[in-house]
Amino acid sequence: MVSADTRSGSGCYISILNIIQGNDVDPTQIHKALQRMRERQLVDFIPWGPASIQVALARKSPYLKTPHKVSGFMLANHTSMAELFDRLLGQFDRIRKRNAFLDNYRKEPMFRENLDEFDSAR
């Protein structure tokens, strides 16, 4: 799992899933908060699709004791993931240029002659 900075302004949300757990959760308050977010445009969504915010309400588990009345979890799909892949490819290029960490691969029959498989998989 990775985490990206969604505040940089270079990306936008594709979809958001909120899971809210608690016995004192009022669905009308959640609906009003989502309406305020949409009206004030606090969250940037993709321009080519609808603002997809899904909310799942769940009761508190009787088996897990927590000091909080309400807890939540947000899972979001954001376009800033492209920045993470760019950073990962930059790190791969630096390692590949130095031929670092390739000794174990050269012992394998597939990579004895050359390491072109790494470059084509990039």
Side-chain angles (χ1 to χ4, degrees), residues 13-61:
Y13 284 97
I14 299 170
S15 61
I16 296 176
L17 169 67
N18 291 313
I19 301 173
I20 301 170
Q21 185 180 29
N23 294 337
D24 299 331
V25 178
D26 185 12
T28 57
Q29 286 181 337
I30 294 170
H31 180 70
K32 287 178 184 177
L34 290 174
Q35 281 299 111
R36 281 194 305 273
M37 285 175 55
R38 287 187 178 122
E39 289 169 0
R40 296 178 186 168
Q41 296 177 348
L42 297 175
V43 180
D44 292 331
F45 279 95
I46 52 174
W48 62 85
S52 176
I53 301 176
Q54 300 295 321
V55 177
L57 301 177
R59 292 195 133 335
K60 276 182 87 168
S61 172

Side-chain angles (χ1 to χ4, degrees), residues 57-118:
L57 301 177
R59 292 195 133 335
K60 276 182 87 168
S61 172
Y63 304 107
L64 297 173
K65 300 295 181 196
T66 60
H68 309 292
K69 291 182 181 179
V70 177
S71 61
F73 174 75
M74 182 178 103
L75 183 67
N77 191 359
H78 197 271
T79 58
S80 67
M81 293 299 292
E83 295 172 17
L84 293 174
F85 286 117
D86 286 339
R87 193 169 57 198
L88 180 70
L89 282 174
Q91 291 171 354
F92 172 78
D93 289 340
R94 286 193 302 269
I95 288 173
R96 180 69 176 104
K97 188 194 304 186
R98 293 185 345 207
N99 286 326
F101 306 108
L102 298 177
D103 297 334
N104 288 332
Y105 290 101
R106 286 195 178 110
K107 295 175 187 174
E108 297 296 323
M110 181 178 174
F111 298 113
R112 274 204 185 111
E113 294 176 21
N114 58 23
L115 297 170
D116 293 339
E117 189 81 20
F118 286 100

